[in-house]
Amino acid sequence: PNPVFSTRISRYGSEALREAALLIRAGEPVAVPTETVYGLAADATDSNAVAAIYAAKGRPSFNPLIVHVADQEMAGRLAEFSPVADRLAERFWPGALTLVLPARADSGLSPLVMAGLPTVALRLPAHPAMRALIRESGRPLAAPSANRSGSISPTRAEHVMASLNGKIRMILDEGPTSEGLESTIVAPETDCIRLLRPGPVTAAMLEEAGMLPVVTGADNTKIEAPGQLESHYAPSKPVRLNALKAEKNEYLIGFGLMPCHVNLSPDADLREAAAHLFAALHMGDASAAERIAVAPIPNEGIGVAINDRLRRAAA
Ligand code: TXA
Ligand code: MG
């Protein structure tokens, strides 16, 4: 049976950090901000702790988790880095890039983290709270987005509370996240960089730094990206895309100058829109409207990742 906790939001600071690290060492998951979205972190070397993440999220356990590290040295103990992987890590870490790499046999990671795959997804985040928690607990931290499986990812502590209240003990609060979309996920291969999930690090940036062509989508003969389920980021209401105005009973999420209920970026700035996207979907979900409509978003730069999440929200 699933225990019920009283969930506390604690402002990030040295005392809250120490408490969070104690919970991690005791095998408890803790919600913590990263620069992309809030994650639900637990000791990646402890199978019971990893199982507690799956239980709190209600996530199918065939879906592997991203392991977060505090420095390149920790990363090197967990996975094999090819020259391409090294170039990408050098250029984009710390930051919003996740690398899917062959796991080392002596990594010490719980097999649950990889859900049976021979690879592990690694990220060295830039956010000081997540990095401090990894250092303070002395463990690599497995962390999916801190929301119930299948719902919208959290970019604020209140989003985590709304989704996981009673399922976890503690949420470290450090305000809204800066990027607003989950990290870009790639599998570096010998002759290409496979893009498994678009995100803040764009295909053009990867190609330039990795010096190899970027290929989109999973290679079904080799790697599976089971998290790329179509319905992954869905609000509880129907979502209509490319809307130019609100129909009756619709909550319109706008972009650029237009009449709407909430605007992702009145200046039509795609980075700003990415940072505001999930909060806007949460607001539409909480509104009295029956449906959510979203204005067209240009499919360039980080707009590719925004449209990826919107297609899933509408699926
Ligand atoms: O920005 C982010 O990436 C956030 C923050 C908390 O770091 N985390 C996040 O985790 O979005 P999650 O669990 O919601 O998404 C992890 C994705 C899933 O789609 C999963 O299938 C994929 O990573 N993944 C994990 N390990 C993999 C592997 N070995 N091979 C292929 N895909 C993998
Ligand atoms: Mg997620």
Side-chain angles (χ1 to χ4, degrees):
N2 225 346
V4 175
F5 304 116
S6 72
T7 304
R8 228 160 7 90
I9 297 190
S10 298
R11 188 73 202 170
Y12 172 63
S14 56
E15 200 181 315
L17 179 64
R18 213 167 21 245
E19 225 179 296
L22 283 173
L23 285 170
I24 296 283
R25 296 292 289 239
E28 291 280 346
V30 171
V32 53
T34 81
E35 69 276 30
T36 58
V37 299
Y38 276 68
L40 184 60
D43 183 350
T45 67
D46 175 348
S47 289
N48 287 321
V50 176
I53 296 180
Y54 287 114
K57 281 183 65 82
R59 177 170 178 142
S61 56
F62 54 77
N63 197 357
L65 304 177
I66 295 174
V67 175
H68 299 70
V69 294
D71 48 52
Q72 181 64 50
E73 201 197 315
M74 195 183 246
R77 287 199 298 270
L78 303 178
E80 313 276 2
F81 279 72
S82 64
V84 203
D86 276 331
R87 285 202 292 277
L88 295 176
E90 167 87 13
R91 171 71 176 75
F92 298 111
W93 281 0
L97 180 69
T98 295
L99 297 172
V100 173
L101 303 170
R104 290 178 56 139
D106 60 352
S107 69
L109 292 170
S110 159
L112 269 186
V113 164
M114 294 167 273
L117 296 173
T119 51
V120 60
L122 287 186
R123 178 154 99 86
L124 203 172
H127 199 291
M130 178 57 121
R131 297 181 67 162
L133 187 58
I134 300 166
R135 287 233 162 78
E136 184 89 11
S137 59
R139 298 283 198 273
L141 297 181
S145 50
N147 54 279
R148 293 285 290 174
S149 186
S151 60
I152 312 162
S153 288
T155 55
R156 298 164 181 264
E158 306 84 72
H159 298 158
V160 182
M161 189 57 130
S163 192
L164 293 179
N165 190 10
K167 307 272 185 220
I168 59 175
R169 289 189 190 279
M170 185 176 184
I171 302 168
L172 274 181
D173 179 8
E174 217 273 313
T177 65
S178 59
E179 300 287 341
L181 294 182
E182 301 88 346
S183 62
T184 303
I185 304 181
V186 299
E189 296 180 12
T190 42
D191 53 353
C192 71
I193 298 167
R194 197 165 290 280
L195 180 61
L196 299 176
R197 178 174 74 184
V201 175
T202 64
M205 292 160 73
L206 290 163
E207 214 151 78
E208 202 251 331
M211 299 188 294
L212 281 179
V214 171
V215 175
T216 299
D219 174 351
N220 290 327
T221 65
K222 282 208 314 219
I223 302 165
E224 288 218 303
Q228 300 306 82
L229 304 170
E230 273 301 308
S231 73
H232 201 75
Y233 301 90
S236 63
K237 295 174 183 173
V239 177
R240 181 169 72 93
L241 303 181
N242 298 315
L244 297 173
K245 66 188 213 17
E247 305 291 344
K248 194 164 170 286
N249 290 326
E250 270 184 347
Y251 182 94
L252 180 62
I253 300 176
F255 178 79
L257 276 186
M258 65 190 290
C260 54
H261 294 95
V262 64
N263 203 314
L264 295 177
S265 171
D267 297 334
D269 176 310
L270 286 170
R271 293 229 145 243
E272 182 182 37
H276 294 157
L277 178 67
F278 289 151
L281 287 171
H282 280 284
M283 280 158 67
D285 228 6
S287 75
E290 284 164 19
R291 292 179 304 277
I292 299 172
V294 190
I297 307 293
N299 205 43
E300 61 201 36
I302 198 174
V304 174
I306 296 175
N307 284 320
D308 170 78
R309 303 308 188 274
L310 284 174
R311 267 194 306 278
R312 290 168 202 286

